Amino acid sequence: MSEDPLKICIAVHSRANYGRIKSVMEAVRAHPELELQLIVGASALLDRFGNAIDQIRADGFEPDATVYYMLEGGTPVTMAKSTGMGIINMSTILENLDPDIVLTVADRFETMSTAVTTSYMNIPLAHTQGGEVTGSIDESVRHAITKLAHVHFPATAQAAENVVRMGEDPDTVHCTGCPAIDAVADIDLSLPHDIFERYGGVGADIDPSEPYLVVVQHPVTTEHKKGREQIKETLEAVTNINMQTIWLWPNIDAGTDAVSEGLRSYREKKENSKIRFYKNFSVEDYGRIIYNTKCIIGNSSSAIREGSFFGTPAVNIGTRQQGREKANNVINVDYEANKIELAIKNQLEHGRYKSVKLYGDGNAGQKIAERLATEDITIQKKLCY
Amino acid sequence: MSEDPLKICIAVHSRANYGRIKSVMEAVRAHPELELQLIVGASALLDRFGNAIDQIRADGFEPDATVYYMLEGGTPVTMAKSTGMGIINMSTILENLDPDIVLTVADRFETMSTAVTTSYMNIPLAHTQGGEVTGSIDESVRHAITKLAHVHFPATAQAAENVVRMGEDPDTVHCTGCPAIDAVADIDLSLPHDIFERYGGVGADIDPSEPYLVVVQHPVTTEHKKGREQIKETLEAVTNINMQTIWLWPNIDAGTDAVSEGLRSYREKKENSKIRFYKNFSVEDYGRIIYNTKCIIGNSSSAIREGSFFGTPAVNIGTRQQGREKANNVINVDYEANKIELAIKNQLEHGRYKSVKLYGDGNAGQKIAERLATEDITIQKKLCY
Amino acid sequence: MSEDPLKICIAVHSRANYGRIKSVMEAVRAHPELELQLIVGASALLDRFGNAIDQIRADGFEPDATVYYMLEGGTPVTMAKSTGMGIINMSTILENLDPDIVLTVADRFETMSTAVTTSYMNIPLAHTQGGEVTGSIDESVRHAITKLAHVHFPATAQAAENVVRMGEDPDTVHCTGCPAIDAVADIDLSLPHDIFERYGGVGADIDPSEPYLVVVQHPVTTEHKKGREQIKETLEAVTNINMQTIWLWPNIDAGTDAVSEGLRSYREKKENSKIRFYKNFSVEDYGRIIYNTKCIIGNSSSAIREGSFFGTPAVNIGTRQQGREKANNVINVDYEANKIELAIKNQLEHGRYKSVKLYGDGNAGQKIAERLATEDITIQKKLCY
Amino acid sequence: MSEDPLKICIAVHSRANYGRIKSVMEAVRAHPELELQLIVGASALLDRFGNAIDQIRADGFEPDATVYYMLEGGTPVTMAKSTGMGIINMSTILENLDPDIVLTVADRFETMSTAVTTSYMNIPLAHTQGGEVTGSIDESVRHAITKLAHVHFPATAQAAENVVRMGEDPDTVHCTGCPAIDAVADIDLSLPHDIFERYGGVGADIDPSEPYLVVVQHPVTTEHKKGREQIKETLEAVTNINMQTIWLWPNIDAGTDAVSEGLRSYREKKENSKIRFYKNFSVEDYGRIIYNTKCIIGNSSSAIREGSFFGTPAVNIGTRQQGREKANNVINVDYEANKIELAIKNQLEHGRYKSVKLYGDGNAGQKIAERLATEDITIQKKLCY
């Protein structure tokens, strides 16, 4: 047929978002029957959170629209308000872009905004990373979005089964693996010699030819008042290990200011720390960094997702990833400095694990684009029991 | 214990909302360990939609806060924007009221606003009418809210089972029956002689001692462009029956203007119609009216819910109530004038059905208040498979 | 020069707005150094307020963006919230359209939204109809917008003087006449025989070959609680005159529902009224209708603006136009039925007045476009005393 | 009279705001015919901007409502959106507080939000600091707010004259002096020995018994892209002076992130700098600090306002305070390091100036409260020429 291509709208709303959808964006752009509509918004536009839009543009994607809607505050009430602002602004943009399908990622409040907007506007909604189990408000939101979505692209077999058990029509559930794996599956994983200079950052100098740790620890929204004490435990453990360390600033959830404040206050006091703080890396360089690290510490899903694929030793702290399917590269510990330190030491001793393809084999983007081009979507959903 | 009472916040956002939660408001207000915080907002404040706030005040409830957030338009995009505005404004109000639990009703976009706000603010969310199955966007939204809620008060055993199957912890699911039944279970159901004058309305005079029909037909959001032609079929059928008719203006979903326009245009042309149009009744008078009608027609859930309890003959049109559990008082028909007419005739011939307690026995409010006072709620949810 | 054309962004937000800026839109579109960016939003998209977008499209203008942001309610608080929603949504749109100049009209809350957004975004703001004096909140808002605007196109010499006296740099103030006059200055003013059928409307049949009245009476925001009683006086006077009457539904300011309710309630009761109610006319047909009417009654500025140009007898009621420069075609009266009736009778007796070019000679659009193409604008304003 | 007290609502939206209205809050609270309603919102709630709410509570004021509405970004578009969010949220709060008069301060976007909301809600608006002349978007906004306000409390005779020349009714214009002066007029101005420890801060230790500089340099919204290079010039000049320095983080206008980034980047590089960075001081301690400094540098109005009262030598940089009435304690310079350095040296040599009561004598709060209690306000404004 010589029909108009289907307009697939993807909204990238944070630096983490981007790595998890980039391969789909590429596959949609390359597909002859699909047209990519790209919205870049929220923390992806903010310097404080690493300006992901610069990476996106550097990768050759020009947004069809940009949109600011994040509130200052990093509190539960500002997360709620940001979601409301997201809906209002996404509505204006979607009305004018008029897409055929909107594809949204995972479980953050920006995703909630996109999902609610799309649902009420009667636009078919596709969703990646549904059916996974974790802690934090993300757990509720992820499953709520599943109940709003018309097509599901879960990353694992277990997640796909969860989506079906929640009452989704099995014909709409396609286990594709996670696009986050695609982005790092086929690249040269060696560390460029200038990789740590290239991204600026603040703190100690890092030598890529020497062993280093990576820490990514986000606030847990359901425990947002404990952010500062939680981060202190990690800081203490990492300081005791005394190895050069790449530390990423946390994302923009409730509690982010407490975590950042904890980090800043540490920086003031510790003059000869071995830590360097960064806001952002390119998707591929982030892959290289966590491939080559001796251990990734904190509560980022990348330790579990890309970590299992790479076999990177990981120490997962606290409740944020509770319940998420993990390969054996991960040791779970509580928010306690000495336990964290011990777990890191164990991982340093163990070294790299065998690669496990739990979250996909690197072709998710391709599979998703193909499905979007052919899926026959009914806008009226129905609980499927 | 001599502790402070638990603050239970209930938001009433439309006339329909109110009837479905009134008995809970009464039970919470009466409970020694609970304190009612009442928010009245959205279409419940609007004259166009029957000014439910006047009924609420007449019933002795003084709101702790009122809040406007509905957009003009009655289109999918304005429903989305109203949801966003609802979140922003509800956030401001909830921050200042600081409730211990928020209780929300069913599946409308106002409910979605409340649910999203409450979730992100880490306030426990209780939900009534979850687990039911219908058409319209309400179907998606209802289940999404279930995934955000911490305590569930489904109305039927089937609905409760659905909520558990979706992965909710069975300990948080309490089948209480529907509070909508409470409001009409124990009242004198005879029609006051001046009932139809008291509420104003426009159109033909209605004699309560003569047989009459009731029509309530809302737009179906997922078919919102067909609102006008759908209402035409019903108008034709009802005109042909030629019995005096109480017609309620539709609610504020996408498509509402098309439905209203269809009704207005009909009113212009038919000078000697037997129809009278109303915006609102008190909860109890609405109960009396649908108890005494010869047949209730359209797609309101009250035909199914209170209708089964009363045994009122009902003709349910189209997809809006598709899948909802029904007693045998309901005949389902498509949007076709002659089929609607035939079904009405069959119901007129049949007369009242036997009462069926499918949606509860009239004690839901009591049970819900009791549960709220004692439930031990964990803010961190987890998929329960 | 072969530079890119200057992008001139014009937002049309209501039916009244459109007639007052249409000639500028045409002149900008036709100008080789200018490019028109058109936003259509607010009540211009709403069926309840006459769907001005259909007229705009019929005139060959395709919007670059549409935007819903009006709240339901017609109360002071919803006017405020609509202004806020306007700012948020206009910000998203202006960020993506990236205009060189924004041109805004007069004094309504939609204009306030546009002016605040544009100012904070450091985009030069041009303003028409500044410096006029009236009642209602429009009076405050109009002058506030003058203080935000960088280029001024007042309609009259007196208005231009007022703008300068308020401290604006005289070099930025250009008295061009009012674009509302342009739209009707050079057209055939005879009434098409089917003009009153073409626009639907509800109520009595109107014969264009017979004498008729026109009534346009908007709520006065600063007296919004009196809307209903004010409209009753006018209805009584017009009923007593007993001449066929074209009545336009009011615009969307605070109090609009009270006025509409007053009109609807009248319609219910008066079966053999000679009034027909309309939502909208094309700019040119509206011009023809008020040119040919025996008298225009109410508080619309068109009675004063186009009215002076046509010499149409006008009865101006109440405070809304208080202080606005008027030609001798206008009789001012208070909200009292018998005074209104008397004034109408006097005007019917008097007949057409001499045309007065108080609000321009029909070339405002041309002059404004020319200025926009050449004006050298400094973004930093300074009180000019 | 035994009437209810007049409810005077004051919204404090930033740390700077607070010092400029505190004496009015005290006077309103103390007045027998007035009742203070306090809203604390925007950056006054944010840790990043010094958590002014803690100071407010420490001073014994408990807010009637708090409200978050600032967007992340520090760009022109986020300033616009914050204004819109401010209006929406202030509307909800004002609807529920139902004040008799709202009093608003100066010229920031939070003030614009308050002024627009109040105007459309038909609530009388009182305004302080109107009629002054400066650079930045504040210049436009200040005069726009004057055109919305019903009662004016300008700080200087010149400002009062400007307000009247803009067309305000002279009977509504009361030259009271600036409440910012009140807060520091009668206090013990000696520096507590631990004053610089008490507020935390980051950077060099400061000895209050040794000479020190103060720097406060905000972004200029109309030059927001130059923020970083502008701050570099000041940093260079101050570094060359080599005196211990108190530096306040900038406020939240467009360009704030660039300024902060410039400061952070400097902090990374200069290990033995003599600068210490602070987010906030109490109103009185800030007074003490700028009374005792050898020179205040930057573009804060406090250098001009309180500075003239104290006779503190001041170096005012760039356009932000352009046109504001200044006493002879101020030297104006451009954004050039060597000129700034030279001006500081001249001021260090000169030492304290004679006190000038240009911005009032310390009784503004008293006078304003008295006026509010007795003023007869007409809600309908009219251009007064």
Side-chain angles (χ1 to χ4, degrees), chain B residues 225-242:
Chain B
K225 285 179 182 162
K226 300 187 190 151
R228 187 151 180 179
E229 68 190 70
Q230 291 172 355
I231 206 71
K232 260 183 62 183
E233 301 290 322
T234 307
L235 276 164
E236 188 183 326
V238 168
T239 303
N240 289 346
I241 296 293
N242 199 30

Side-chain angles (χ1 to χ4, degrees), chain D residues 352-384:
Chain D
R352 185 175 307 285
Y353 289 77
K354 243 190 85 183
S355 167
V356 177
K357 300 218 161 39
L358 179 60
Y359 285 90
D361 56 8
N363 298 305
Q366 213 54 45
K367 292 176 193 162
I368 290 171
E370 200 44 55
R371 270 287 165 196
L372 291 173
T374 56
E375 187 90 1
D376 184 26
I377 302 174
T378 311
I379 201 72
Q380 176 64 60
K381 292 192 66 180
K382 174 125 310 193
L383 193 63
C384 220

